Amino acid sequence: MKKFFKFAAVAAIAAMFVSCTEKPGPDPEKPNNQEPETPKVEITENLAFTLEVTEVEAEQAKVKVEHNGTTKDTWYAFATTEADVNKAVAAKVTELTADGGKISGLKKSKSTTITVRSLEPETDYTFIAFGITAEGQVYGTAASTTFKTVKGELKYTENAAWTVEYKGAGVVMDEEYEHTVTVTSTDNNYYFLAAYPVAEFEEKGIKAIAEDEFGAYMEYLNAFNQQYGTNYNMLAYCWQGTATDYIFVDPGVEYYALAIGVGEDGQLNGLWAKSDVIYIEEEEMTPEYAAWLGDWTITGANGIEQYVTFAKGIANQTYKMIGYEGEATAGLDVEVEWMQEEGIWVIYNQSFGTYEFTLNGGQKANGEIWFVGQTAEGDLYLEEVPVCLGGVTEDGTLAAFGYEETWENEDGTQGSYVVDSMLYLAYFTEQNQLSYISGTYQTGYPTFPMTFTKLETRSASNGLKVSARPATKLPMAYQFGSFNIL
């Protein structure tokens, strides 16, 4: 009986519902016994929209929507990858009216900004707005605009299809190299190779390293394309499939060889792989190399002195010259190359990257720091050319001589480039000017030939400051000098 009464109760409720919702018939009290009129929905028949894309990101976009109707007009807007507006509107109307009831979620604002979410990066979209009533009646003129979402943040993933192996000495494109790496690839992705110290890799991470390496290549490529009218992208430096390339590694330092992926568009694609740790034993220092280690007084032909330290770089290969121009250049260690067979060393022009300066007027500016040689007339190169050669002369003097180059001009006259002194400079691209970065210019620089006198002990009072970390910001560009960039 319990089940019977429950069913009866449900039936009664259903009957009540029918009686409550039953459509009333003609009202005998109304004139002519007429049916009540259904109220009309007010719409702007010529409804038209104005659309403006105001912001585009990787996964969302903002579009400002305005129309010429009233706040009683209802409308709908959406983004689609379908380029045919009529086809897209027809499909959307079918979707909105599929359940046969009134459409919910329609807009009434005359002006609003819509954020479209859950989009795919690097994808073309069409944004459409059109008038439609709750009953599904489309009216007015649909409007559309297009946009493309930007590239999303790369997710870096180790590519299992690449095996990176150090091979030692080998041949790359008919040239012999001391250190080579082979990437065995089972896919068709492009990549380039780099070698990075393990300690730096662990500190910076693959994202920063990939961006730095890619940026350095692109800086060179952009300059090359500009100079020669070419249009190379990063694929010009990339390998595809199994390949062998050379790398540069310093003895005594642990390295990874890295394969860094590039997409067909010439941009980083987030794929990467690394080798096992590479470690090359460092040689024992030769007596000739070791003899230049230590603290020195440099005396120029003009009598002006500078104090420097020749610190060990790579045994029998390089030194680090520290202290030239004193504390103002702390951390900007000059690389000195040792030539074992000749028993001499050489310094080349070298760049230390871009730093932020405060100019004399107080404004901020970015300048690229160089260590360069210059002539007595102020001529210099902002490229890797020799500054000077150092060694032991026939009479046993330890000295350095400025680089000299001569040539014959088309008119038969002789041209020459004779380095007179060496110094640090900052090159400000926007101003197209060179500036001193320390106050050394006020007392002058030693001129070539320079003699080197060994100092047994040094104190902080003579201006030397050794820094194991590169300078990140130099406070002042002292003044713009008179230089001629060759």
Side-chain angles (χ1 to χ4, degrees), residues 2-240:
K2 179 182 270 188
K3 290 184 179 179
F4 171 78
F5 285 119
K6 185 175 182 180
F7 176 82
V10 171
I13 292 172
M16 290 174 60
F17 178 78
V18 170
S19 63
C20 289
T21 58
E22 185 177 355
K23 183 178 178 181
D27 188 345
E29 295 183 2
K30 288 188 178 292
N32 301 320
N33 203 26
Q34 296 175 345
E35 293 273 358
E37 294 184 0
T38 302
K40 293 183 178 180
V41 178
E42 295 184 16
I43 61 174
T44 303
E45 296 288 351
N46 64 342
L47 186 69
F49 294 86
T50 301
L51 308 178
E52 179 188 359
V53 179
T54 59
E55 184 178 317
V56 178
E57 299 179 15
E59 297 179 352
Q60 69 177 36
K62 293 183 179 180
V63 184
K64 184 178 181 181
V65 182
E66 295 180 335
H67 66 69
N68 62 345
T70 71
T71 55
K72 293 183 179 180
D73 287 299
T74 54
W75 52 276
Y76 194 85
F78 64 104
T80 175
T81 55
E82 173 60 62
D84 187 321
V85 175
N86 292 332
K87 185 177 179 180
V89 171
K92 182 57 67 174
V93 172
T94 300
E95 176 189 329
L96 294 173
T97 59
D99 61 2
K102 286 190 175 183
I103 302 171
S104 61
L106 297 181
K107 304 287 185 183
K108 288 187 176 181
S109 304
K110 288 189 63 179
S111 177
T112 189
T113 297
I114 295 177
T115 301
V116 189
R117 307 181 190 277
S118 301
L119 303 177
E120 293 295 324
E122 293 189 287
T123 303
D124 292 312
Y125 283 95
T126 300
F127 182 90
I128 302 171
F130 64 98
I132 184 171
T133 66
E135 291 73 27
Q137 176 188 350
V138 177
Y139 66 100
T141 303
S144 67
T145 187
T146 60
F147 62 86
K148 183 175 182 177
T149 49
V150 299
K151 188 174 184 177
E153 183 176 353
L154 282 181
K155 296 179 181 179
Y156 283 83
T157 305
E158 285 196 69
N159 187 4
W162 293 337
T163 302
V164 186
E165 297 176 289
Y166 174 73
K167 296 295 187 179
V171 176
V172 178
M173 299 178 68
D174 299 326
E175 294 285 340
E176 292 187 4
Y177 293 94
E178 187 176 359
H179 306 290
T180 65
V181 169
T182 295
V183 177
T184 303
S185 174
T186 59
D187 66 16
N188 291 320
N189 283 296
Y190 292 95
Y191 60 88
F192 64 94
L193 285 172
Y196 238 77
V198 171
E200 289 188 46
F201 178 88
E202 293 175 349
E203 179 183 354
K204 297 176 67 174
I206 185 60
K207 178 179 183 295
I209 290 171
E211 291 175 352
D212 286 350
E213 292 291 315
F214 181 84
Y217 275 113
M218 290 307 302
E219 184 177 351
Y220 172 79
L221 273 174
N222 290 336
F224 185 93
N225 287 335
Q226 184 175 2
Q227 182 174 355
Y228 295 101
T230 52
N231 192 32
Y232 292 114
N233 67 9
M234 191 60 197
L235 296 184
Y237 276 115
C238 288
W239 302 94
Q240 190 180 35

Side-chain angles (χ1 to χ4, degrees), residues 204-400:
K204 297 176 67 174
I206 185 60
K207 178 179 183 295
I209 290 171
E211 291 175 352
D212 286 350
E213 292 291 315
F214 181 84
Y217 275 113
M218 290 307 302
E219 184 177 351
Y220 172 79
L221 273 174
N222 290 336
F224 185 93
N225 287 335
Q226 184 175 2
Q227 182 174 355
Y228 295 101
T230 52
N231 192 32
Y232 292 114
N233 67 9
M234 191 60 197
L235 296 184
Y237 276 115
C238 288
W239 302 94
Q240 190 180 35
T242 298
T244 299
D245 203 352
Y246 63 90
I247 58 171
F248 296 105
V249 294
D250 294 334
V253 180
E254 292 185 334
Y255 282 87
Y256 287 129
L258 304 172
I260 300 174
V262 175
E264 292 186 0
D265 59 355
Q267 301 296 313
L268 293 171
N269 64 6
L271 296 176
W272 68 283
K274 65 178 172 57
S275 69
D276 293 334
V277 174
I278 302 167
Y279 183 80
I280 310 300
E281 290 287 347
E282 192 171 14
E283 298 177 357
E284 291 289 331
M285 290 187 289
T286 65
E288 295 82 3
Y289 170 87
W292 283 94
L293 296 174
D295 301 327
W296 302 89
T297 298
I298 300 176
T299 305
N302 58 358
I304 295 177
E305 295 182 343
Q306 279 281 327
Y307 300 98
V308 301
T309 294
F310 268 39
K312 176 180 166 293
I314 303 171
N316 308 326
Q317 294 186 35
T318 64
Y319 303 99
K320 291 182 289 185
M321 187 175 75
I322 305 168
Y324 195 84
E325 295 195 46
E327 292 188 4
T329 60
L332 302 175
D333 304 340
V334 177
E335 183 176 83
V336 181
E337 294 190 18
W338 172 250
M339 303 171 70
Q340 181 65 37
E341 292 185 7
E342 293 80 6
I344 61 175
W345 50 260
V346 59
I347 296 176
Y348 288 88
N349 286 354
Q350 50 201 270
S351 170
F352 295 91
T354 301
Y355 297 76
E356 183 183 70
F357 288 84
T358 302
L359 303 182
N360 289 336
Q363 70 270 32
K364 303 291 185 182
N366 291 327
E368 182 181 8
I369 297 179
W370 283 82
F371 186 81
V372 297
Q374 69 165 350
T375 69
E377 295 75 30
D379 296 334
L380 56 87
Y381 290 96
L382 289 185
E383 56 187 78
E384 190 175 322
V385 297
V387 175
C388 61
L389 300 172
V392 182
T393 64
E394 292 183 356
D395 63 3
T397 302
L398 278 65

